[in-house]
Amino acid sequence: MEDGVLKEGFLVKRGHIVHNWKARWFILRQNTLLYYKLEGGRRVTPPKGRILLDGCTITCPCLEYENRPLLIKLKTRTSTEYFLEACSREERDSWAFEITGAIHAGQPGKVQQLHTQKNSFKLPPHISLHRIVDKMHDSSSGIRPCPNMEQGSTYKKTFLGSSLVDWLISSSFAASRLEGVTLASMLMEENFLRPVGVRSMGAIRSGDLAEQFLDDSTALYTFAESYKRKVSSKEEVSLSTMELSGTVIKQGYLSKQGHKRKNWKVRRFVLRKDPAFLHYYDPSKEENRPVGGFSLRGSLVSALEDNGVPTGVKGNVQGNLFKVITKDDTHYYIQASSKAERAEWIEAIKKLT
């Protein structure tokens, strides 16, 4: 990584004038967050814009967009607001941590505080679990249950474990993810919440309060009084439903060459197993539905040489390319942001082919 670069990678940014969403390459330095356009798989210089971090405030999790749960909001000293979306909860929190550190770089005590995670949590005496549940039910600021799917079964009126922890933090009931998980476990222990599905039910059997509630996007929960389950019959399960029922094992932003126009666009890739599929999503769109995908059974994956432009690749593309050839001989050309990231994706895909 270049000197002075604290973190870099893709984030999806909301436009200032027209509120559309576009993938940009971000570089975090000690006092500035730079962002770049990409054309033909290459970063365009000079930067498209820069965010001065001195005097910034950061909000994470930011729940202002219901369909975009992985947002960070930055508000500058001049009250300009930037909304940035990451590809996963882990990546969002990593960006938020590094940006917060850069904002407070001149305050060693504050930076040290960021590195110290509380090991115990007790509910403040002025807050009752009943009050938290009442707030969760609030029609405007509460958490909204909706249908979610796990392993081919659809569960009504449920919410994700990571979404509930986000909500507890954003509503100031918890100050960290550890506190949020512990508080959610208390809500389950007092029978305000119930786990739904194989993963969440399995966690309950561990018996450890700190590990009963799963802070991830594959664990499902519901209000105890609205516990309902609808299992899709085999006849009702469409091919796409089955494709998307597998366990997510890796996700991230990658550039992909189009099949027809051969142009390069940033997509959010999600790798699943059981069944093994690689899907990709358009991060500029609100709906969380894949725009493409393919089965990995019988596929071949390999790195492409960084010297020159490989056969089948169009444009003045930087390195870190790899290719997936599906069982029906469709070729996908994909670009990672680094050699290490390319190696990680190739290794993960190979295990499922």
Side-chain angles (χ1 to χ4, degrees):
M1 200 168 276
E2 299 173 36
D3 289 342
V5 175
L6 302 175
K7 187 174 177 64
E8 61 180 325
F10 286 116
L11 292 169
V12 178
K13 174 184 168 293
R14 192 194 75 170
H16 281 301
I17 300 171
V18 180
H19 288 175
N20 53 356
W21 298 81
K22 291 186 178 178
R24 297 287 185 243
W25 182 262
F26 280 78
I27 294 181
L28 175 64
R29 295 184 181 275
Q30 199 63 65
N31 57 358
T32 312
L33 186 60
L34 304 168
Y35 55 94
Y36 298 79
K37 287 179 66 176
L38 267 83
E39 290 182 1
R42 186 177 288 274
R43 192 171 74 203
V44 178
T45 54
K48 174 77 173 170
R50 67 184 67 230
I51 304 170
L52 298 177
L53 297 176
D54 185 33
C56 263
T57 57
I58 182 169
T59 304
C60 179
C62 171
L63 306 183
E64 293 191 25
Y65 286 84
E66 185 180 346
N67 294 328
R68 293 184 180 273
L70 301 174
L71 284 180
I72 298 167
K73 182 170 82 169
L74 289 176
K75 189 173 183 178
T76 68
R77 180 172 275 175
T78 58
S79 295
T80 303
E81 292 183 340
Y82 292 88
F83 291 88
L84 312 175
E85 184 179 40
C87 61
S88 66
R89 200 266 296 164
E90 292 78 11
E91 190 65 11
R92 179 199 65 187
D93 291 352
S94 173
W95 271 103
F97 180 84
E98 295 293 347
I99 292 171
T100 304
I103 291 171
H104 298 293
Q107 303 168 270
K110 184 72 174 180
V111 175
Q112 182 61 38
Q113 184 182 336
L114 292 171
H115 286 270
T116 305
Q117 190 176 35
K118 294 179 182 177
N119 294 318
S120 62
F121 171 61
K122 293 181 179 178
L123 189 66
H126 65 283
I127 296 178
S128 71
L129 294 179
H130 284 93
R131 182 187 159 197
I132 294 173
V133 174
D134 287 343
K135 188 82 181 288
M136 289 175 70
H137 280 288
D138 188 279
S139 59
S140 59
S141 59
I143 191 163
R144 295 180 178 86
C146 60
N148 283 288
M149 190 174 63
E150 185 195 37
Q151 297 185 4
S153 297
T154 300
Y155 297 88
K156 294 181 177 180
K157 296 183 179 180
T158 55
F159 34 82
L160 309 178
S162 55
S163 296
L164 178 53
V165 175
D166 283 351
W167 183 87
L168 289 168
I169 294 172
S170 68
S171 301
S172 301
F173 289 119
S176 67
R177 302 206 76 82
L178 180 62
E179 288 187 7
V181 168
T182 309
L183 185 50
S185 294
M186 289 179 179
L187 289 168
M188 282 201 302
E189 200 172 55
E190 296 298 320
N191 204 33
F192 290 108
L193 301 179
R194 289 187 64 172
V196 177
V198 177
R199 268 186 62 73
S200 302
M201 294 296 289
I204 287 293
R205 300 187 188 101
S206 71
D208 184 351
L209 181 65
E211 296 177 359
Q212 282 186 3
F213 185 89
L214 298 178
D215 177 17
D216 65 33
S217 58
T218 61
L220 299 179
Y221 299 88
T222 188
F223 294 114
E225 74 273 12
S226 65
Y227 182 70
K228 290 181 181 178
R229 174 181 173 180
K230 172 183 176 266
V231 181
S232 304
S233 68
K234 289 184 179 179
E235 292 75 22
E236 292 174 334
V237 176
S238 66
L239 178 61
S240 61
T241 301
M242 288 304 297
E243 287 179 13
L244 299 171
S245 67
T247 303
V248 174
I249 60 171
K250 187 173 179 61
Q251 56 185 321
Y253 290 131
L254 299 166
S255 293
K256 174 188 164 294
Q257 180 175 271
H259 285 296
K260 294 179 180 177
R261 294 177 59 195
K262 308 294 183 187
N263 54 347
W264 288 84
K265 291 188 176 179
V266 177
R267 296 290 182 244
R268 179 171 66 90
F269 279 77
V270 178
L271 181 64
R272 294 179 173 90
K273 69 173 183 178
D274 301 325
F277 272 84
L278 184 61
H279 291 96
Y280 48 94
Y281 300 71
D282 184 346
S284 67
K285 304 297 183 187
E286 288 284 338
E287 63 270 12
N288 190 31
R289 284 180 291 187
V291 293
F294 48 91
S295 171
L296 291 173
R297 293 298 178 201
S299 295
L300 298 173
V301 58
S302 61
L304 297 177
E305 292 296 328
D306 290 336
N307 299 325
V309 179
T311 304
V313 174
K314 302 293 183 183
N316 188 17
V317 184
Q318 290 171 318
N320 310 317
L321 293 162
F322 64 98
K323 178 170 68 173
V324 180
I325 305 175
T326 65
K327 195 174 182 179
D328 63 3
D329 201 36
T330 303
H331 292 224
Y332 289 86
Y333 295 95
I334 303 169
Q335 181 184 33
S337 59
S338 66
K339 283 185 171 63
E341 185 184 46
R342 175 175 66 178
E344 289 173 9
W345 274 99
I346 289 174
E347 182 181 359
I349 291 170
K350 274 184 177 176
K351 290 178 180 177
L352 303 179
T353 58

